[in-house]
Amino acid sequence: MTTVGKAPILELDNVSLRFGGVRAMTDVSCSVYPGELFSIIGPNGAGKTSTLNCISGRYRPTSGRIRHHGKDITGLGPRKRADLGIGRTFQNLALFSGMSVLDNILIGRHHLLKTGVARGMLYWIGGAQQEEVQHRAAVEEIIDFLEIQHIRNEHAGTLSYGLRKRVELARAIALKPELILLDEPMAGMNLEEKEDMARFIVDLNEEMGMTVVMIEHDMGVVMDLSHRLMVLDFGRKIAEGIPDDIKANEDVKRAYLGQDHGVMPTAEPSAEAVR
Amino acid sequence: MAGSMRPAGDFRTSYAADRTIFPTRGSWRMLLLGLLVLCILPLQFAGVTLVSSYWLALIIQIAIYAIAALGLNILVGFTGQISLGHAAFFGFGGFASAYLSGKLGVPVALAIPLAGLLTAMLGIIVGLPAARLKGLYLAIATLASQFVLQDFFGRAQWFTGGASGASAEAYSIFGISLSGDRKYFLVVLAHLIIMYLFAANLMRTRDGRAMVAVRDHYLSAEIMGINLTYYRILAFGISSLYAGVGGALMAHYTGFVSSEAFDLLLSINFLAMVIIGGLGSIMGSILGAIFIICLPEVMQSVVRLVQTLGIGQGAAFTEGLAYMKEMAIGLAIVLFLVFEPDGLAARWRKIKAYWKLYPFSY
Ligand SMILES: Nc1ncnc2c1ncn2[C@@H]1O[C@H](COP(=O)(O)OP(=O)(O)OP(=O)(O)O)[C@@H](O)[C@H]1O
Ligand SMILES: [Mg+2]
């Protein structure tokens, strides 16, 4: 993975975010390059999710700028970012629980579909059916990729935690994002589920060519998968670099030692670091 | 268990077939049979009537209210927004159709859908606060629109005939008169079928899905590129379209529109239909309408039975009946919310599942 000579797909330029007296982010800057698998790590409450929320447009930074392909998107609403090709999953599950898995994933196609109310109501006339069938085919490919064929018609609200995380990933992929943001995709999963998920993320990155920004507590996984990492602590960036450098970084060790359970494991996956 | 229960061997070979509204061959056959029965229902052969005029009138009312309830379900059940003003839209549709056909000379067959569209526009305007308001606040805003519109009906002499009401022409299409219950029933049935198909189609395409997404998790809906404001207001428009068509059908059925009929109580009855029938179920809207229209009839029979048996004081019962109707509807809502929150539609599904698996109910 070489980033030399490529223009960044995403840049954070001195981004700060404050909630009243709480400083969730302070002057965070970083660049993510096309094709990268970039991870954000740090202790609980470090501001990782806040960073993702700023990128996806859910929060607006108090100061600083966010650029996408060099274009300032700091003030752009979250809805418009789907069209830019930014997709995401959430730390706390955010599926549409009353809909089937299939419909959940089809929602990801929303911004690619054109049928309005009138054509939708007429269905057979005006092309709505063709459009549905065409996108259904695309969704089925994602279903096959994530191996969730057996639950396609199930209601999302009835699924196990691990499966819901997978469906959420499917929904984000259906958006056809160029940049995908994953907030703790493996939290609460058992080892087997984690291995599957890790495989999916690598495929996403290498075979589908998506740029991935991932938050994950499982150090084994993070160090294995990531090309580069950024470490946050109390809303500040304390380190950035390739996994080997981060592992050796004294500041990072200290930040993790400051936590009661926060040992910084080197390779083996630790279930303990997962909340 | 999967969401649908298809018999073994029934494999879908195309995505289109998998998205059909009527999932099994059995349901198609049932549907065709049902439609056939409904079509011959009003007929009279050589002096023999299949359904008495009394029951036919009830069935017509059910079908009309079912159309309006369907619209309310799209708003409340599918999009998750409350409305206490549905009756006012129902009334507006009636007045609009009476005005279009009576004063502007639009053929009645055309005036009904046009009235629906006008009501939809009104619904979009009245629904504008939904862009900002949710829950209780939205309930109050729609309650306000109910009263404002009711007041408008009382004052707008030119449009509604004021206190004396407006008369509506009898239905005819291509010069063929379809007045009288036995013919008009077919008109209402045709409208119900079309509006039902529109709703079913909408809910399996882009905009219908987006509405459900807005209901279930608006924050992630927005991240998926869904315009929340647009769909919140659109839902009001669509629900008003249905109310308008229903109101117009009612106007040309009774031949007369009076502003008193469209009060808050009717709005609450519409909500009751949707809750009892099943929030977020298209079929449920119809079941709910059947329930609410038939409930007073059932109660009437009970009262009659009590009277013939000579228990208690018959006269007091008859006098109290009007109040008891409202109370019974209230009680039914509470009971359904507690014991069957998914409404009659869920019960219907359970019964169907039972028969499919019979005698192995596990
Ligand atoms: N909407 C909000 N309102 C107020 N404070 C918030 C809000 N969102 C986040 N914070 C605060 O900002 C800080 C950073 O939170 P954030 O969720 O970004 O942490 P995190 O790194 O994702 O932690 P975790 O590992 O627990 O998910 C925390 O102190 C949190 O309480
Ligand atoms: Mg977080």
Side-chain angles (χ1 to χ4, degrees):
Chain A
M1 176 74 224
T2 163
T3 59
V4 184
K6 279 192 203 167
I9 185 169
L10 183 78
E11 290 166 274
L12 269 66
D13 182 2
N14 281 305
V15 173
S16 297
L17 179 69
R18 228 175 294 161
F19 298 101
V22 180
R23 291 169 162 271
M25 293 168 72
T26 309
D27 293 332
V28 175
S29 298
C30 68
S31 298
V32 179
Y33 294 89
E36 247 189 333
L37 206 163
F38 184 88
S39 289
I40 303 173
I41 62 169
N44 291 137
K48 305 181 294 296
T49 299
S50 300
T51 307
L52 230 55
N53 281 340
C54 286
I55 301 171
S56 71
R58 207 160 138 189
Y59 292 160
R60 200 178 165 163
T62 318
S63 65
R65 313 251 48 114
I66 296 172
R67 277 184 288 274
H68 177 256
H69 283 302
K71 216 179 116 238
D72 193 328
I73 58 162
T74 318
L76 198 69
R79 177 166 64 81
K80 304 262 171 60
R81 300 190 193 206
D83 289 329
L84 291 182
I86 302 177
R88 76 169 284 184
T89 65
F90 294 84
Q91 179 174 0
N92 305 308
L93 291 165
L95 282 176
F96 307 114
S97 51
M99 296 166 91
S100 70
V101 167
L102 205 51
D103 282 339
N104 265 281
I105 305 173
L106 275 164
I107 283 283
R109 308 300 285 186
H110 181 85
H111 73 120
L112 302 170
L113 291 166
K114 289 180 186 67
T115 308
V117 187
R119 282 205 294 153
M121 282 182 169
L122 293 171
Y123 196 71
W124 307 278
I125 317 156
Q129 185 174 24
Q130 282 97 306
E131 196 182 60
E132 284 294 315
V133 167
Q134 189 188 327
H135 284 267
R136 171 71 187 273
V139 164
E140 287 295 335
E141 273 176 32
I142 298 168
I143 288 178
D144 286 345
F145 167 58
L146 292 179
E147 296 158 19
I148 45 176
Q149 298 91 337
H150 57 297
I151 51 159
R152 325 182 158 78
N153 291 318
E154 223 90 356
H155 271 256
T158 63
L159 300 175
S160 73
Y161 191 82
L163 282 175
R164 276 194 246 184
K165 283 255 167 200
R166 219 185 264 198
V167 174
E168 216 185 308
L169 180 63
R171 188 180 67 180
I173 296 174
L175 212 88
K176 270 198 179 171
E178 179 191 20
L179 172 67
I180 191 164
L181 315 170
L182 309 173
D183 197 345
E184 304 197 16
M186 293 169 220
M189 287 188 169
N190 63 34
L191 200 61
E192 195 186 336
E193 287 174 322
K194 271 189 195 179
E195 277 169 2
D196 283 339
M197 190 52 100
R199 185 160 51 83
F200 296 141
I201 294 172
V202 168
D203 283 352
L204 217 66
N205 180 241
E206 288 178 359
E207 266 155 50
M208 298 189 176
M210 288 181 202
T211 307
V212 180
V213 174
M214 173 172 80
I215 297 174
E216 186 49 58
H217 276 294
D218 189 320
M219 286 309 144
V221 172
V222 169
M223 294 298 170
D224 253 12
L225 299 190
S226 315
H227 300 139
R228 281 191 314 128
L229 304 98
M230 165 166 84
V231 190
L232 296 179
D233 192 22
F234 293 113
R236 288 179 187 276
K237 180 168 99 174
I238 57 169
E240 185 182 342
I242 59 168
D244 286 338
D245 292 348
I246 297 294
K247 275 185 242 175
N249 188 303
E250 289 302 321
D251 288 338
V252 177
K253 278 185 194 159
R254 215 171 303 126
Y256 272 86
L257 283 173
Q259 278 199 308
D260 34 1
H261 66 262
V263 278
M264 177 90 179
T266 39
E268 71 279 33
S270 80
E272 204 202 345
V274 177
R275 292 190 308 133
Chain B
M1 196 195 322
S4 69
M5 286 215 319
R6 277 182 274 141
D10 177 5
F11 297 113
R12 301 285 154 74
T13 49
S14 74
Y15 296 140
D18 198 37
R19 290 303 248 190
T20 173
I21 307 177
F22 309 105
T24 60
R25 251 175 297 151
S27 70
W28 252 115
R29 266 186 240 129
M30 283 296 287
L31 179 84
L32 290 179
L33 191 71
L35 283 181
L36 198 68
V37 168
L38 281 173
C39 285
I40 59 170
L41 213 54
L43 297 183
Q44 292 170 297
F45 304 100
V48 181
T49 49
L50 292 173
V51 176
S52 73
S53 310
Y54 182 77
W55 276 101
L56 193 65
L58 270 187
I59 295 172
I60 291 175
Q61 284 183 51
I62 287 171
I64 292 176
Y65 283 123
I67 292 174
L70 210 80
L72 189 63
N73 214 337
I74 291 176
L75 180 68
V76 180
F78 287 102
T79 321
Q81 290 174 309
I82 187 85
S83 171
L84 290 171
H86 207 58
F89 295 116
F90 188 78
F92 185 86
F95 284 121
S97 194
Y99 184 82
L100 285 171
S101 57
K103 297 246 166 67
L104 303 182
V106 178
V108 177
L110 205 63
I112 293 173
L114 272 180
L117 288 176
L118 284 176
T119 316
M121 283 183 219
L122 180 71
I124 286 169
I125 295 166
V126 170
L128 285 176
R132 298 254 161 239
L133 302 179
K134 281 197 281 285
L136 211 51
Y137 299 99
L138 185 60
I140 300 295
T142 56
L143 186 64
S145 68
Q146 162 77 37
F147 286 122
V148 169
L149 281 172
Q150 236 177 294
D151 189 58
F152 167 77
F153 295 155
R155 288 166 195 269
Q157 199 83 31
W158 59 276
F159 182 57
T160 65
S164 49
S167 62
E169 282 176 35
Y171 194 93
S172 68
I173 187 165
F174 306 127
I176 307 159
S177 162
L178 292 174
S179 61
D181 282 15
R182 293 194 184 267
K183 287 186 196 136
Y184 195 67
F185 169 72
L186 295 177
V187 174
V188 173
L189 184 65
H191 281 85
L192 176 62
I193 291 170
I194 291 171
M195 297 309 271
Y196 184 99
L197 289 177
F198 278 177
N201 284 339
L202 179 67
M203 295 329 293
R204 58 175 170 161
T205 49
R206 175 181 186 258
D207 283 7
R209 268 197 305 268
M211 288 178 186
V212 180
V214 170
R215 174 196 74 187
D216 277 358
H217 204 296
Y218 70 92
L219 285 174
S220 60
E222 201 176 18
I223 297 282
M224 294 293 129
I226 291 171
N227 185 338
L228 302 181
T229 306
Y230 176 77
Y231 285 104
R232 285 187 177 134
I233 295 172
L234 180 72
F236 269 96
I238 293 172
S239 110
S240 305
L241 171 77
Y242 279 77
V245 169
L249 284 169
M250 188 57 105
H252 296 289
Y253 174 54
T254 55
F256 181 74
V257 205
S258 144
S259 61
E260 274 106 69
F262 314 114
D263 55 2
L264 182 61
L265 205 61
L266 182 60
S267 280
I268 290 174
N269 276 350
F270 280 133
L271 271 180
M273 289 176 199
V274 171
I275 292 169
I276 290 171
L279 288 167
S281 160
I282 294 173
M283 189 63 198
S285 317
I286 296 175
L287 298 178
I290 295 174
F291 187 94
I292 293 293
I293 303 290
C294 290
L295 186 64
E297 302 306 318
V298 174
M299 289 179 59
Q300 207 120 37
S301 334
V302 171
V303 168
R304 225 174 288 130
L305 187 73
V306 168
Q307 278 171 335
T308 45
L309 290 178
I311 318 163
Q313 291 182 313
F317 262 124
T318 340
E319 276 167 25
L321 195 65
Y323 298 103
M324 272 162 46
K325 266 188 216 170
E326 310 306 341
M327 276 162 56
I329 289 175
L331 186 69
I333 296 179
V334 172
L335 289 178
F336 266 92
L337 285 178
V338 174
F339 295 108
E340 189 78 276
D342 292 331
L344 288 168
R347 179 94 340 238
W348 173 243
R349 273 194 298 274
K350 281 176 205 160
I351 293 169
K352 266 202 311 200
Y354 177 81
W355 281 110
K356 266 185 199 162
L357 299 174
Y358 186 83
F360 309 105
S361 61
Y362 39 84

